[in-house]
Amino acid sequence: MTPKTLISPSVKWMILSLSTMTFGAGFVFPFYLIFIKEMSGNFTEFGIAFGLFTLFFTYLNRLFNSSSERYGRKAFLLAGTWGTAFLFLLFPIVSSVWQIYVLQIALGTFGAMQKTSKAFIADMTEGNQRGELIGRYHFGGSLFSGAAVIVGGVLIDFFTLDLIFYLGSFVVFFSGLMLIPVKESRVTS
Amino acid sequence: MRKRFWVGGILLYSAALTASVLIWLSASEPLIASDVNRLMSGRVHGIVSVKTTADIAAALDKAKKKNLKIAISGARHSQGGHSFYDGAIILDMTKYNQILQLDPVNKIIRVQSGATWGDIQEHIHPHGLSIRVMQSSNIFTIGGSISANVHGRDLHEGLLIDTIESFRLMISDGRIIQVSRTENAEWFPLVIGGYGLFGVVLDADIRLTDDQTYVERTIPLSVEQFPDYFIEHVKDNPDVRLTVARLSTAPSSFLQEMYLMNYEKTALPLPTNSPALEEERAVELTKFLFNLSRKFDWGKNVTWSLQKRLFASETGTIVSRNIAMRPEIQFLEYRDVQRTDILQEYFVPLDRFVPFVVGLGELVLENRLNLVNITVRYVPKNEEALLSYAREESFAIVLLFNHKRSPREISHIERATQEMVDLALQHGGTYYLTYQLFPTDAQLNAAYPKAISFFVLKKKLDPDLLFMNEFYARYAR
């Protein structure tokens, strides 16, 4: 076990940011599937929309992770987080399937950018810290998103699905702000 | 750089958030036309926001040149595609809403068809005048109300058709004709209650009445007591003006408890400084209660007992007719992706009310329908419109169901509706055409024996079928 004092504030803030991001996105995610189904007239269009996301996410994941070596991981992480926040703002106002396709591609792209977070954590922590650290902080985030999904469902029933996108967007944007105190560094071990 | 970067990010995000919300609020589902409850929708050629008569003429011209259809929409609260048609040009009449002229001596107002009852109320209230017949809410347009030949809560007035003196109509060849009981009289019973299939109503002359002072009175009754009480104490009582009854949908008193709300004439004068018309109060609270009723049986119990207490406490309240005719409706606004509110209205002869309600209860339970709200009003016999639903003096029973929008669930309620229509027909009643297209052709013809001649006359007066909607497409042969 690693004593807590060894965790730098940068790491703390970054993992907090990631947990908040998980929370915000986790809040939106299950309902966003219903939204896509609603917008697309049939399961074919739903499949295309969802497949586009996965394809771009997977392909760009590789690209971004390798280029983050050169340009810095924080830039990618922030771009991915804020990009997602901006995209969520578009969901309530789109009206046709092709717009959904475009959004899905963009969402896959920004999602892939965020995945530099893993390498980022690895950079900033020592081998024996990582597992416990990530586990500890993500525990809180995931617990909250579980509760948030339940609350989200009730909110949608009483208001609209669109509200969830706005709430989610705000939380995700806020998680980006939590990256302010994060300084990029590499622990070499 | 650092600080400026983050502040810039926050500002940019705030701007984007504001823009998104503004766009979202003003979005009006472009090119997808639907009813307010999104039960039916269609991809249309375009939506023309009509502001002048020339706009209408231009749209008709364009439709003829491009071989398109015209559908006419107002507040879009019909639920059977009466206000749109696949691939058609939709005339959105809501901005064509000028009050043209008020004759306070003869109590007649001339308004453009996109004006709402609310617009008229605001205009005539300072003159001490009031509307004779309108729906229980004032958000509907005059054109839409004429097309559905609506009825209201005033016992001593008939249907809307009774209060219409005349109107101007733009017909398929582009001409504007004046229609009244004496001029172009054959159009009168077709256009009123004709769902926009004969032309575009431009403006109408509507007869008004005096604003009066009423006192509210609430009478709790059982379903069995209601018809006799109504016939003995209400129907021919000249003092009772507006009346509406509510039937419980709460499991604890399902289709057993009722209360009747009367607005009775008093000798008290109108408040001298005729207060401004009130806006809706406590919309959010009512909306919340209504949502509880949609969702939960206990919500229905709570709402029913609150309603009873609230209305009982209002007994003795003095209101003007104009205030009484501005009831709340905003709380009914409902946007759920998966479910929708389904409205239906049945008309049954007064002496068939009890057996109809008993049969209705069985059908609702058998089909496990989520029945949220029921109101009962009185409709006198009136057969002036060709598609008249009031072939006999009746009770008009409005049902509000909350139902899933999935195709399977819709076909479930379609079958259940056909059973309810059969029930109404068995009791010598009818159903209202303004709602879903669920009833079969045979049911339509049984409830509206003149439907066949209505469709024949439509083809005669609009041979190219320029004016078109989903209702016509579904039933016309």
Side-chain angles (χ1 to χ4, degrees):
Chain A
M1 288 285 267
T2 320
K4 278 177 193 169
T5 45
L6 281 184
I7 303 166
S8 71
S10 275
V11 176
K12 243 188 205 174
W13 277 108
M14 193 191 55
I15 297 185
L16 244 156
S17 161
L18 286 177
S19 306
T20 312
M21 163 78 206
T22 314
F23 170 69
F27 192 38
V28 171
F29 190 68
F31 304 113
Y32 143 91
L33 291 178
I34 296 170
F35 175 82
I36 307 260
K37 176 66 191 77
E38 270 282 312
M39 292 293 298
S40 36
N42 47 47
F43 282 103
T44 310
E45 287 173 354
F46 177 76
I48 294 172
F50 211 71
L52 281 174
F53 168 82
T54 316
L55 287 176
F56 274 77
F57 178 76
T58 317
Y59 179 70
L60 293 171
N61 210 332
R62 253 177 77 180
L63 182 75
F64 290 145
N65 264 301
S66 57
S67 39
S68 72
E69 296 286 346
R70 251 206 302 167
Y71 301 108
R73 313 223 200 264
K74 185 171 161 181
F76 274 96
L77 186 55
L78 184 65
T81 305
W82 279 6
T84 306
F86 277 94
L87 285 181
F88 280 177
L89 294 180
L90 292 175
F91 277 95
I93 57 178
V94 297
S95 55
S96 62
V97 179
W98 71 263
Q99 290 170 321
I100 289 286
Y101 291 162
V102 174
L103 280 182
Q104 286 289 90
I105 290 173
L107 211 57
T109 309
F110 288 120
M113 287 186 190
Q114 279 166 25
K115 283 299 162 211
T116 55
S117 61
K118 284 189 181 139
F120 203 174
I121 295 176
D123 286 349
M124 292 169 65
T125 50
E126 289 180 61
N128 54 356
Q129 272 186 318
R130 286 171 193 148
E132 195 240 340
L133 236 174
I134 294 172
R136 178 140 45 95
Y137 282 94
H138 267 315
F139 175 73
S142 306
L143 201 67
F144 273 117
S145 36
V149 169
I150 294 172
V151 175
V154 177
L155 284 178
I156 293 172
D157 267 358
F158 283 89
F159 299 96
T160 66
L161 188 57
D162 300 332
L163 183 75
I164 290 297
F165 285 108
Y166 287 123
L167 278 177
S169 166
F170 184 78
V171 173
V172 171
F173 179 78
F174 188 76
S175 79
L177 290 180
M178 290 171 140
L179 291 173
I180 293 176
V182 175
K183 291 192 184 63
E184 239 173 304
S185 63
R186 283 196 188 196
V187 176
T188 39
S189 57
Chain B
M1 168 262 159
R2 297 262 155 223
K3 203 169 169 190
R4 227 187 274 167
F5 173 80
W6 293 106
V7 171
I10 292 171
L11 288 179
L12 198 64
Y13 179 77
S14 313
L17 179 64
T18 316
S20 170
V21 171
L22 287 179
I23 294 171
W24 177 67
L25 287 175
S26 67
S28 54
E29 296 165 48
L31 300 192
I32 301 278
S34 72
D35 49 69
V36 168
N37 290 64
R38 298 157 301 133
L39 199 62
M40 287 182 71
S41 61
R43 263 170 214 278
V44 298
H45 180 82
I47 299 172
V48 177
S49 178
V50 172
K51 289 183 192 72
T52 63
T53 312
D55 291 344
I56 305 172
L60 263 55
D61 250 10
K62 184 181 167 189
K64 276 183 262 182
K65 279 191 192 118
K66 296 194 158 189
N67 206 12
L68 298 166
K69 303 292 182 195
I70 293 276
I72 312 159
S73 89
R76 296 186 301 122
H77 274 268
S78 60
Q79 291 189 353
H82 303 80
S83 60
F84 59 88
Y85 181 69
D86 249 16
I89 297 176
I90 309 296
L91 303 182
D92 173 358
M93 302 298 289
T94 52
K95 301 254 162 56
Y96 187 75
N97 60 355
Q98 300 293 306
I99 307 273
L100 299 175
Q101 192 183 314
L102 174 66
D103 174 354
V105 178
N106 294 308
K107 298 176 197 165
I108 290 185
I109 193 166
R110 178 172 297 165
V111 290
Q112 289 186 329
S113 58
T116 64
W117 295 117
D119 296 336
I120 295 185
Q121 284 176 328
E122 263 157 47
H123 192 83
I124 63 177
H125 185 66
H127 297 272
L129 294 171
S130 188
I131 292 163
R132 282 180 181 269
V133 176
M134 59 179 255
Q135 296 90 324
S136 296
S137 158
N138 63 12
I139 62 165
F140 303 104
T141 63
I142 306 314
S145 304
I146 287 177
S147 298
N149 189 20
V150 302
H151 68 101
R153 291 180 297 163
D154 193 318
L155 269 180
H156 308 286
E157 300 284 354
L159 314 186
L160 179 62
I161 193 167
D162 286 325
T163 73
I164 306 291
E165 273 302 292
S166 66
F167 53 85
R168 290 194 311 145
L169 184 76
M170 190 182 286
I171 56 177
S172 58
D173 61 12
R175 277 186 306 137
I176 296 173
I177 58 170
Q178 186 77 33
V179 180
S180 70
R181 288 178 181 82
T182 51
E183 218 176 327
N184 294 308
E186 74 274 22
W187 295 79
F188 196 78
L190 288 170
V191 174
I192 301 184
Y195 295 100
L197 289 168
F198 289 87
V200 185
V201 175
L202 301 178
D203 40 60
D205 285 4
I206 304 170
R207 289 194 294 117
L208 303 169
T209 184
D210 288 319
D211 197 8
Q212 285 180 322
T213 314
Y214 296 149
V215 59
E216 271 186 62
R217 207 150 77 87
T218 305
I219 305 123
L221 291 163
S222 72
V223 166
E224 284 75 22
Q225 293 168 327
F226 172 73
D228 292 342
Y229 182 92
F230 189 88
I231 291 165
E232 267 170 54
H233 301 281
V234 180
K235 192 168 86 74
D236 300 315
N237 183 343
D239 285 340
V240 181
R241 297 303 307 195
L242 308 180
T243 184
V244 61
R246 281 171 196 281
L247 235 164
S248 169
T249 59
S252 55
S253 54
F254 186 67
L255 303 190
Q256 284 167 1
E257 285 182 16
M258 292 185 77
Y259 58 83
L260 180 66
M261 266 174 79
N262 289 340
Y263 291 85
E264 299 174 5
K265 264 202 287 200
T266 68
L268 293 167
L270 278 174
T272 42
N273 53 347
S274 56
L277 293 169
E278 291 167 43
E279 288 310 314
E280 284 187 47
R281 292 161 302 171
V283 175
E284 290 305 318
L285 177 71
T286 336
K287 208 173 184 174
F288 180 73
L289 278 176
F290 220 82
N291 268 332
L292 281 186
S293 301
R294 284 190 181 101
K295 265 180 112 52
F296 308 111
D297 278 350
W298 61 262
K300 293 187 184 75
N301 284 334
V302 169
T303 306
W304 179 250
S305 71
L306 277 176
Q307 265 185 356
K308 268 198 301 191
R309 233 180 295 166
L310 177 72
F311 288 118
S313 76
E314 280 181 356
T315 284
T317 308
I318 307 289
V319 288
S320 74
R321 178 182 172 96
N322 278 341
I323 299 287
M325 286 172 79
R326 278 176 83 91
E328 304 175 348
I329 186 140
Q330 236 182 308
F331 70 85
L332 282 174
E333 249 177 50
Y334 183 59
R335 289 184 65 180
D336 182 313
V337 282
Q338 306 230 76
R339 308 182 70 88
T340 188
D341 282 346
I342 287 185
L343 274 172
Q344 300 184 343
E345 183 165 13
Y346 297 95
F347 303 89
V348 290
L350 304 189
D351 60 340
R352 307 309 298 162
F353 177 76
V354 175
F356 177 78
V357 170
V358 171
L360 177 72
E362 284 164 9
L363 288 178
V364 168
L365 294 178
E366 248 171 55
N367 289 293
R368 278 178 290 165
L369 300 177
N370 183 15
L371 179 54
V372 181
N373 196 56
I374 309 178
T375 59
V376 182
R377 289 171 294 169
Y378 167 80
V379 180
K381 176 177 170 151
N382 184 315
E383 293 195 278
E384 195 178 1
L386 206 63
L387 290 186
S388 179
Y389 46 82
R391 287 187 287 126
E392 263 190 79
E393 179 181 51
S394 314
F395 282 124
I397 302 148
V398 175
L399 311 177
L400 185 145
F401 297 99
N402 188 253
H403 204 75
K404 279 211 164 187
R405 286 172 64 213
S406 69
R408 213 175 87 182
E409 283 298 316
I410 292 296
S411 61
H412 172 73
I413 199 165
E414 175 166 6
R415 281 192 305 277
T417 301
Q418 289 167 358
E419 291 173 26
M420 289 186 279
V421 170
D422 272 341
L423 180 72
L425 291 171
Q426 275 162 29
H427 290 292
T430 56
Y431 68 96
Y432 198 24
L433 295 175
T434 307
Y435 299 119
Q436 311 82 31
L437 307 179
F438 295 156
T440 63
D441 290 33
Q443 288 179 322
L444 175 89
N445 289 318
Y448 294 88
K450 291 180 185 157
I452 293 172
S453 39
F454 177 86
F455 291 134
V456 168
L457 286 164
K458 155 76 179 170
K459 276 183 215 150
K460 183 182 155 219
L461 295 171
D462 177 16
D464 297 328
L465 304 180
L466 177 66
F467 300 105
M468 191 45 124
N469 61 27
E470 298 291 342
F471 166 75
Y472 183 86
R474 161 75 181 80
Y475 289 111
R477 291 290 172 270

